[in-house]
Amino acid sequence: MTILVTGATGRVGRQVVQQLIQRDAKVRVLVRDPAKADFPARVEIAKGDLLDIDALRSAFNGVRTLFLLNAVAGDEFTQALITLNIARECGVERVVYLSVLHADRFVDVPHFAVKFGAERMIQQMGFSATILRPAYFIDNDLTIKDVVLNHGVYPMPIGAKGVAMADARDIAEVAAIELIRHDQSPRKLPVETLNLVGPDTLTGADVAAIWSDVLGRQVVYSGDDPSGFEQNAAAFMPKWMAYEMRLMAERFVSDGMIPENGDTERLTAILGRPLYSYREFAGAFAAEMKQV
């Protein structure tokens, strides 16, 4: 049967598709703009979005398993609920959903609360599902690379409690493995939640020290105050979203994003290899800069 991937042109979704192709899965992607869907010919393209009812019904034809990834948006919850309802209407019973770590705890952060609501709906609607809860994405820090390189400052206010940053490659591969497991199972599987974390729980000072090491010059942590982060973010995203990112940063500072016992070992066992680390990310970026 076919696996439908939403969010397929984004950082994680694109890699999920690649991982599924490597495993000889039959894949269909739902995209707004097929011109941006530069996938191999074997990948089926369905045009539409998560609020286009007719397009959703058409995209779900012949699908058994859904990868649901919907990005932070003002109507994110509506997107998730509509998609899940249409999926059930079309006979889809198996779902892998990309949520977020601590969705059940950081409910004052809108997109965390939204994802927790979608998790509850998945459970109450009777889907066979894996709920993936990734921590902060390591490659989010590509957005602040110029500040690190040009000013010697690590500006993300992630605090001193620690954040177990996860690599998008690990997230995508686990998602593909779970999609295949659900799709090939002769029966519906119970709902399961996986925390997707990195091998290290890092503070802001820890990350600055890694950058200092790989660049060979001092990089300092800018501190825990998220107000400057909100102001900078508002320059390239809607103000409501920048404020939401500030709320998330405040929870990083107050609570951290800390894995539970056994999370790392569980992921390593699923992948059959070590998890990618922040130091590998920073080291690869520093090496690339030296070649420029």
Side-chain angles (χ1 to χ4, degrees):
M1 294 291 286
T2 299
I3 297 173
L4 179 65
V5 177
T6 67
T9 57
R11 285 179 296 168
V12 173
R14 184 172 295 277
Q15 294 189 64
V16 170
V17 173
Q18 293 170 349
Q19 290 288 338
L20 289 171
I21 291 171
Q22 290 174 19
R23 290 165 171 80
D24 294 322
K26 186 176 181 182
V27 184
R28 181 181 300 155
V29 298
L30 178 68
V31 296
R32 289 186 178 90
D33 184 0
K36 295 181 180 179
D38 52 339
F39 296 109
R42 60 177 290 189
V43 175
E44 298 177 19
I45 308 295
K47 181 180 179 181
D49 60 50
L50 301 184
L51 295 179
D52 186 335
I53 304 301
D54 292 338
L56 279 176
R57 286 177 172 142
S58 177
F60 277 125
N61 184 37
V63 167
R64 175 157 57 191
T65 306
L66 165 68
F67 178 63
L68 179 55
L69 185 166
N70 54 319
V72 176
D75 56 3
E76 179 183 354
F77 196 35
T78 301
Q79 291 182 33
L81 302 191
I82 291 294
T83 304
L84 290 169
N85 271 296
I86 297 295
R88 185 174 64 171
E89 172 191 305
C90 294
V92 176
E93 298 180 325
R94 306 166 189 219
V95 177
V96 173
Y97 175 59
L98 194 71
S99 182
V100 64
L101 189 64
H102 303 332
D104 54 336
R105 291 167 46 193
F106 293 3
V107 292
D108 55 328
V109 182
H111 71 276
F112 282 61
V114 162
K115 288 178 168 58
F116 185 50
E119 289 184 12
R120 293 175 62 190
M121 188 170 183
I122 286 168
Q123 292 170 336
Q124 293 184 20
M125 290 178 72
F127 286 103
S128 169
T130 298
I131 294 167
L132 303 177
R133 287 182 169 181
Y136 178 97
F137 290 10
I138 287 175
D139 65 347
N140 282 347
D141 282 359
L142 288 172
T143 63
I144 48 89
K145 64 182 185 300
D146 291 339
V147 180
V148 174
L149 291 173
N150 299 329
H151 301 283
V153 174
Y154 179 69
M156 300 300 292
I158 62 173
K161 296 291 180 66
V163 175
M165 299 185 191
D167 192 287
R169 292 170 293 181
D170 290 335
I171 295 167
E173 189 168 351
V174 171
I177 290 169
E178 287 300 299
L179 285 163
I180 295 290
R181 185 171 72 91
H182 281 278
D183 197 61
Q184 295 184 350
S185 174
R187 60 187 180 280
K188 288 175 61 177
L189 301 172
V191 177
E192 186 175 2
T193 300
L194 289 174
N195 293 335
L196 301 183
V197 298
D200 308 301
T201 301
L202 302 171
T203 66
D206 291 335
V207 176
I210 289 173
W211 280 111
S212 297
D213 189 30
V214 301
L215 294 174
R217 51 189 169 85
Q218 186 178 27
V219 174
V220 299
Y221 174 52
S222 64
D224 295 346
D225 182 3
S227 57
F229 171 65
E230 179 189 358
Q231 292 172 4
N232 291 332
F236 59 88
M237 64 176 63
K239 288 186 177 180
W240 68 264
M241 188 180 294
Y243 177 66
E244 181 167 340
M245 296 302 107
R246 173 185 179 148
L247 292 174
M248 179 178 67
E250 288 176 349
R251 294 306 298 261
F252 289 165
V253 171
S254 64
D255 294 67
M257 215 172 206
I258 300 169
E260 297 176 4
N261 290 335
D263 281 346
T264 301
E265 293 78 9
R266 189 180 188 187
L267 295 173
T268 301
I270 291 171
L271 293 170
R273 59 168 175 79
L275 300 172
Y276 291 111
S277 70
Y278 194 96
R279 180 172 289 275
E280 289 175 290
F281 160 78
F285 184 77
E288 182 180 330
M289 289 300 98
K290 291 177 182 178
Q291 295 174 1
V292 174

